[in-house]
Amino acid sequence: MATQKVTDADFSTTVQSDKPVLVDFWATWCGPCRMMSPVLEEISDEYADKLTVAKLDVDENPTTTSQFGVMSIPTMLVFKNGEVVKQIVGYRPKSELEAELSDIIA
């Protein structure tokens, strides 16, 4: 399952999920964000049964971006039952990201 696009309008519905949701705050002009994209696609495909991966464009969705105090991108927030349980800032290679998510995707 590919990553899903999320917006200010459907953000709260998306993160109120039975399984954890990783939201990638990104922008089209951000180099590290573009490098993160294929990594997140792989994570989304491999752990589809355990984790939802969503992407939120910070330029198109300023309300949610400021609500969570996102100051630099890429920032990934992991939600469980609508609550932030983990924050990861900056590019991560797949192995490092999997290690950071190990308690969630185990």
Side-chain angles (χ1 to χ4, degrees):
M1 181 175 127
T3 58
Q4 66 184 67
K5 185 177 177 184
V6 65
T7 64
D8 283 345
D10 62 10
F11 184 83
S12 60
T13 311
T14 302
V15 298
Q16 290 289 346
S17 172
D18 292 341
K19 62 183 173 183
V21 181
L22 181 151
V23 180
D24 175 34
F25 289 79
W26 74 289
T28 54
W29 47 264
C30 165
C33 299
R34 289 197 308 270
M35 289 169 50
M36 203 66 235
S37 199
V39 173
L40 291 170
E41 289 292 338
E42 284 185 38
I43 296 282
S44 177
D45 290 342
E46 289 176 32
Y47 301 100
D49 56 333
K50 299 177 182 173
L51 180 73
T52 299
V53 179
K55 295 175 72 69
L56 182 126
D57 186 317
V58 297
D59 292 330
E60 296 173 4
N61 303 282
T63 305
T64 303
T65 302
S66 64
Q67 177 184 349
F68 289 97
V70 173
M71 302 302 263
S72 62
I73 54 175
T75 290
M76 291 156 277
L77 298 179
V78 180
F79 292 83
K80 273 189 174 177
N81 303 315
E83 299 292 320
V84 177
V85 294
K86 187 175 289 275
Q87 176 175 323
I88 303 163
V89 179
Y91 171 79
R92 296 288 191 285
K94 184 181 175 197
S95 59
E96 213 174 292
L97 185 58
E98 283 176 317
E100 294 213 38
L101 297 172
S102 61
D103 55 331
I104 292 155
I105 56 179

